[in-house]
Amino acid sequence: MGKGGSVSDGVMKKILLSYTYVAIWIFLSFTVIVYNKYILDKKMYNWPFPISLTMIHMSFCATLAILLVRVFKFVEPVSMSREVYFSSVVPIGALYSLSLWLSNSAYIYLSVSFIQMLKALMPVAVYSIGVGLRKESYKNDTMFNMLSISMGVAVAAYGEARFDTWGVILQLGAVAFEATRLVMIQILLTSKGISLNPITSLYYVAPCCLVFLSVPWILVEYPILKENSSFHFDFVIFGTNSLCAFALNLAVFLLVGKTSALTMNVAGVVKDWLLIAFSWSVIKDTVTPINLFGYGLAFLGVAYYNHSKLQALKAKEAQKKVTQADEETGRLLEDREGDGSGKRNDQQN
């Protein structure tokens, strides 16, 4: 009974820790999204410079990552050749910079709630790009599921009260670039046995993002900021905002490392509903019944997709256990046969 109780306590502790990791990630993701909206929206802080904001985030994250890796030796840098860096990390950095730039830009034109509805297309984009690049196998039922998610998002867009074509294009572009980045990480890094945690990821990727973002920044936002002599850099606002962005990267590693990527996907659905409720009740964004109906359809599609991934993961784990058991049985039989032949040889001698 005592032994059973100790096992139960251990399981309960593990469950509580998992919920804690989920809560931390939801809180930080929620905070970063709302904070970025506050800074960029013309009706709030009124600083509509998404490239500059993204560069501030990347500068802050890169500086902290360099300090943690090079000065404090908190983590060890990954062994990586220059060829691998330029062929793998640099393209991922370019995709990441485009994703962040377009995603932050969308907050100027769209409501927080509608952006979360559009983000429901992420599984569709990841699966479609994975099939196109032959990292995923095409399945009719999965594609039908992707179409149902797309249909739900289309209905939500149809019911959007503040529909802005340019904002939708920016957010869809952000989804496409982010999905491509996730697939490319599997192709370019995972296949080569390279694993990056958030600190080493920022250590290698953030400087690339700064370089890529500097080109559009010089052409688009720098001339406007130069003329706007009334602007004064608010260290409290941008410092805390950047710190939240850095903490979110660590929370992603904590959540995925201690639970799974699937858990983060499920937690992301909960976060989206919370953001929609917050956007409607606090920010006073208009959320129509058609919005909610469309996102409800997309939500069901995403939930089914996550359920399918979970079942596939369980089947894979079960198959792995069966294979290990078969290998263990085979080794035992070989050992017994070896012992038997050894005994026969002794008897003959």
Side-chain angles (χ1 to χ4, degrees):
M1 186 73 179
K3 187 177 180 181
S6 63
V7 172
S8 298
D9 291 341
V11 171
M12 183 59 66
K13 184 179 179 180
K14 187 175 181 180
I15 292 173
L16 289 175
L17 282 174
S18 297
Y19 277 113
T20 302
Y21 300 141
V22 168
I24 291 171
W25 178 79
I26 288 178
F27 172 76
L28 288 171
S29 181
F30 186 100
T31 302
V32 169
I33 289 170
V34 174
Y35 212 159
N36 288 351
K37 174 66 175 178
Y38 168 76
I39 291 172
L40 295 166
D41 197 292
K42 295 178 181 179
K43 296 179 182 179
M44 298 181 188
Y45 190 76
N46 190 25
W47 199 69
F49 300 103
I51 305 175
S52 300
L53 182 63
T54 307
M55 291 183 72
I56 291 171
H57 288 172
M58 288 296 101
S59 299
F60 185 88
C61 292
T63 301
L64 277 184
I66 290 171
L67 288 174
L68 290 172
V69 173
R70 290 296 182 185
V71 179
F72 299 108
K73 309 292 184 181
F74 186 76
V75 294
E76 291 293 326
V78 176
S79 178
M80 186 185 305
S81 67
R82 182 176 296 182
E83 180 184 356
V84 171
Y85 179 80
F86 282 103
S87 64
S88 301
V89 176
V90 170
I92 291 171
L95 292 167
Y96 193 38
S97 63
L98 288 168
S99 171
L100 292 173
W101 169 22
L102 297 183
S103 180
N104 284 333
S105 299
Y107 285 106
I108 299 174
Y109 305 95
L110 303 175
S111 66
V112 171
S113 58
F114 187 44
I115 286 176
Q116 303 318 304
M117 295 176 189
L118 292 175
K119 285 182 179 180
L121 288 170
M122 184 61 73
V124 179
V126 172
Y127 179 73
S128 301
I129 293 170
V131 170
L133 297 177
R134 297 183 179 180
K135 292 298 294 181
E136 293 274 359
S137 57
Y138 176 84
K139 296 178 181 178
N140 289 328
D141 56 342
T142 304
M143 184 54 69
F144 179 77
N145 185 21
M146 298 298 106
L147 290 174
S148 68
I149 296 173
S150 303
M151 183 64 68
V153 173
V155 172
Y158 177 77
E160 174 60 22
R162 283 184 53 199
F163 186 89
D164 185 283
T165 303
W166 180 238
V168 171
I169 292 173
L170 289 172
Q171 184 55 47
L172 292 180
V175 169
F177 283 121
E178 178 63 12
T180 306
R181 183 182 77 89
L182 294 174
V183 176
M184 294 302 285
I185 286 175
Q186 291 183 329
I187 296 174
L188 298 177
L189 292 181
T190 308
S191 62
K192 297 178 181 179
I194 298 174
S195 178
L196 300 177
N197 62 47
I199 296 176
T200 53
S201 177
L202 291 172
Y203 175 77
Y204 290 108
V205 174
C208 293
C209 290
L210 283 173
V211 172
F212 285 111
L213 289 169
S214 64
V215 177
W217 181 76
I218 291 172
L219 296 174
V220 178
E221 293 186 2
Y222 175 70
I224 301 174
L225 287 168
K226 190 176 180 180
E227 292 178 2
N228 188 8
S229 57
S230 61
F231 171 73
H232 298 284
F233 190 86
D234 192 327
F235 285 95
V236 175
I237 291 292
F238 293 104
T240 53
N241 180 246
S242 299
L243 185 61
C244 288
F246 182 79
L248 177 59
N249 280 278
L250 298 184
V252 170
F253 173 67
L254 186 68
L255 180 60
V256 176
K258 300 298 183 180
T259 57
S260 67
L262 185 62
T263 301
M264 191 176 76
N265 289 338
V266 175
V269 175
V270 177
K271 178 205 69 178
D272 290 343
W273 279 111
L274 290 174
L275 279 166
I276 291 171
F278 179 85
S279 176
W280 171 72
S281 61
V282 178
I283 304 178
K284 303 300 181 183
D285 285 333
T286 302
V287 180
T288 67
I290 299 178
N291 271 149
L292 294 177
F293 176 73
Y295 184 66
L297 291 177
F299 163 74
L300 292 175
V302 173
Y304 179 77
Y305 175 75
N306 288 332
H307 174 74
S308 300
K309 296 286 283 187
L310 179 61
Q311 295 303 314
L313 186 63
K314 287 182 178 179
K316 186 176 180 180
E317 289 294 326
Q319 182 61 40
K320 184 178 179 180
K321 289 180 179 179
V322 170
T323 303
Q324 290 176 345
D326 290 342
E327 291 176 352
E328 184 66 24
T329 302
R331 283 195 294 268
L332 289 173
L333 290 174
E334 289 178 0
D335 292 340
R336 289 177 180 177
E337 290 177 358
D339 292 341
S341 62
K343 289 178 181 179
R344 284 195 296 270
N345 290 334
D346 292 339
Q347 292 173 356
Q348 290 174 359
N349 292 330

